[in-house]
Amino acid sequence: MTQKKDKSILVFRFSSLGDIAMTIPVLRSFFNTYPDQKIIFVSRSFVEPLFKEFQNVEFIGVDFRADYKGVKGLLKLFSRLRKKKIKSVADLHNVLRTQVLNFLFKLTFTKVQKINKGRSERKRLIRKKNKNFKPLTPVHYRYCDVFRRLGYPVDLANHEYPVKPFLDQDSDEQRLLSRNKEKKIIGIAPFASFNGKTYPLDLIQNVIAYLQKDHTIYLLGGGDELKQIEVWDKAYDNVIDISKNFNLRKQLNIINYMDLMISMDSANGHLAANCEVPVLTVWGMTHPFCGFAPFDQGIENSITIDRNYYPHIPTSIYGNKIPKGYENAFRSIEPKEVIEKALEILKLTTPHHN
């Protein structure tokens, strides 16, 4: 008979790259406490490189628009997963898809716990009237709470960063990093999923233009953003687009050796934080109090809109709502402020070059 300790904990977390990246520090802390426990992590296929550092994680990539579409697709996925040796389910997403899967697993007498997103607290934080402007529980801790309720307390104080990846001298990543060894490397991720989280392009261009004079700038983005990144790549000598020719695995290798990441409230900030890289986050309609700040980064590394002038900030959790009169609120953050903060952080860093 299979011993229970040999069974796996099944973890769900779909959705955005940033939300998935936030599970990494939690998993590191988990395995520092329970090194022999196996986890099956189910998520979007493209995020698999995030989990390569874990020996005891079996990653299962899913595509809900093809292989597992609709209710039939969920039944098909459940049928696949139940064949695994599952002892409990940690739902780190808590949406309709995972709720259906949770229900099906409960029918097989499998223990299930799901994330408490704190929706009522979120509403109080983002409402206009009687706003309760207090920090929400960070998402990392909400993930930990799910494991605690399954009987696996996780303490983020046990978190340890992994050793930087060794890059072969002939690898694309190492050839890139070797171009300007005497300069510090700044990653800049100028875009986010919504306009309310995207620093105006003419202002971030001022930041890029100034910082590239004495530093190497690596730009990150995807999709339609690549056109704008290509423009900056061609316009400035020390600016390099690393999104076009490097997949996520290679981008992570490069991020590991950056000296600073400047990010919106978006995924690349989380990826860099997971690599023990200082992250300067620039916040628009959202705010660090929403619980999505990058891991292990002090509040002093966040630049936010002045609430004395724009008291409705944060206007939403996801940055998808720009109230009337707030169309130019993001412009109240001067490029000079971003540049000065970036230089201040860089003074405290030693080059990470491989």
Side-chain angles (χ1 to χ4, degrees):
M1 177 181 272
T2 301
Q3 296 296 313
K4 200 165 186 180
K5 67 179 180 179
D6 295 328
K7 291 187 175 182
S8 298
I9 298 173
L10 182 64
V11 179
F12 297 130
R13 177 71 243 200
F14 311 130
S15 191
S16 68
L17 175 58
D19 291 323
I20 299 164
M22 291 176 81
T23 67
I24 300 301
V26 177
L27 292 179
R28 289 173 182 161
S29 302
F30 178 95
F31 286 120
N32 278 338
T33 307
Y34 314 102
D36 298 324
Q37 178 56 53
K38 295 179 181 177
I39 282 179
I40 296 175
F41 201 105
V42 186
S43 190
R44 308 283 185 177
S45 299
F46 77 97
V47 303
E48 185 172 5
L50 271 64
F51 301 89
K52 291 296 185 184
E53 67 181 81
F54 302 112
Q55 290 184 337
N56 274 357
V57 171
E58 177 187 347
F59 181 86
I60 295 179
V62 293
D63 185 345
F64 290 115
R65 289 175 294 185
D67 300 332
Y68 301 105
K69 188 176 181 180
V71 176
K72 286 185 178 179
L74 289 177
L75 290 171
K76 178 183 174 183
L77 178 58
F78 169 70
S79 178
R80 176 185 177 186
L81 295 174
R82 72 173 301 190
K83 294 174 184 175
K84 304 284 184 178
K85 298 171 183 176
I86 305 296
K87 64 177 172 183
S88 55
V89 175
D91 177 5
L92 305 184
H93 200 171
N94 193 6
V95 291
L96 185 57
R97 279 194 184 104
T98 61
Q99 289 163 10
V100 171
L101 291 167
N102 293 346
F103 173 75
L104 294 171
F105 272 104
K106 285 179 180 177
L107 292 178
T108 65
F109 304 101
T110 304
K111 188 174 183 180
V112 175
Q113 291 292 343
K114 60 187 178 182
I115 188 173
N116 175 5
K117 294 184 176 180
R119 288 190 172 91
S120 58
E121 295 100 314
R122 287 181 176 183
K123 287 179 181 177
R124 290 194 288 271
L125 176 62
I126 64 176
R127 67 191 178 190
K128 291 182 180 180
K129 295 181 179 179
N130 300 317
K131 182 185 287 287
N132 188 19
F133 187 66
K134 293 181 180 179
L136 302 182
T137 301
V139 171
H140 298 96
Y141 289 92
R142 294 187 183 276
Y143 289 162
C144 288
D145 185 57
V146 178
F147 287 105
R148 179 189 61 79
R149 285 183 274 118
L150 285 176
Y152 294 86
V154 176
D155 186 354
L156 287 173
N158 291 336
H159 176 270
E160 294 178 6
Y161 291 100
V163 176
K164 301 282 182 184
F166 173 78
L167 302 180
D168 188 277
Q169 293 299 315
D170 294 326
S171 67
D172 294 334
E173 302 96 298
Q174 184 56 45
R175 282 198 291 268
L176 174 71
L177 291 166
S178 298
R179 285 193 200 176
N180 291 298
K181 277 196 170 182
E182 72 281 1
K183 293 184 178 181
K184 287 189 175 181
I185 297 171
I186 304 173
I188 299 182
F191 302 97
S193 50
F194 296 104
N195 289 337
K197 297 199 295 186
T198 304
Y199 193 48
L201 295 188
D202 58 317
L203 301 187
I204 195 66
Q205 180 168 308
N206 291 340
V207 173
I208 293 168
Y210 186 91
L211 291 176
Q212 66 89 34
K213 293 176 183 178
D214 298 312
H215 306 87
T216 298
I217 307 294
Y218 292 163
L219 296 180
L220 300 106
D224 295 336
E225 303 158 2
L226 293 176
K227 294 178 182 177
Q228 180 59 56
I229 288 177
E230 187 176 355
V231 170
W232 288 325
D233 179 298
K234 291 179 178 178
Y236 301 106
D237 292 339
N238 295 319
V239 173
I240 301 170
D241 169 11
I242 68 165
S243 295
K244 186 177 181 181
N245 298 317
F246 295 94
N247 59 26
L248 179 59
R249 179 182 63 81
K250 292 184 176 182
Q251 285 182 37
L252 288 171
N253 287 339
I254 294 167
I255 289 172
N256 261 286
Y257 289 97
M258 290 180 179
D259 300 290
L260 172 67
M261 172 70 80
I262 300 175
S263 172
M264 305 301 106
D265 173 15
S266 58
N268 282 293
H270 298 295
L271 297 178
N274 290 349
C275 297
E276 202 177 3
V277 172
V279 180
L280 171 56
T281 39
V282 187
W283 302 76
M285 296 298 111
T286 56
H287 191 277
F289 279 15
C290 294
F292 292 90
F295 180 72
D296 202 22
Q297 302 290 321
I299 191 69
E300 67 276 5
N301 283 13
S302 295
I303 294 178
T304 59
I305 293 171
D306 191 337
R307 295 187 65 256
N308 290 315
Y309 299 102
Y310 298 97
H312 294 158
I313 300 292
T315 64
S316 67
I317 296 297
Y318 305 109
N320 56 338
K321 295 179 182 177
I322 304 177
K324 187 176 180 181
Y326 280 56
E327 295 84 359
N328 292 314
F330 221 156
R331 291 188 171 276
S332 65
I333 297 176
E334 297 282 348
K336 182 173 181 283
E337 183 180 358
V338 180
I339 291 167
E340 288 178 347
K341 188 64 186 179
L343 294 176
E344 177 188 325
I345 296 171
L346 282 171
K347 281 183 182 178
L348 304 174
T349 66
T350 54
H352 283 126
H353 299 196
N354 188 19

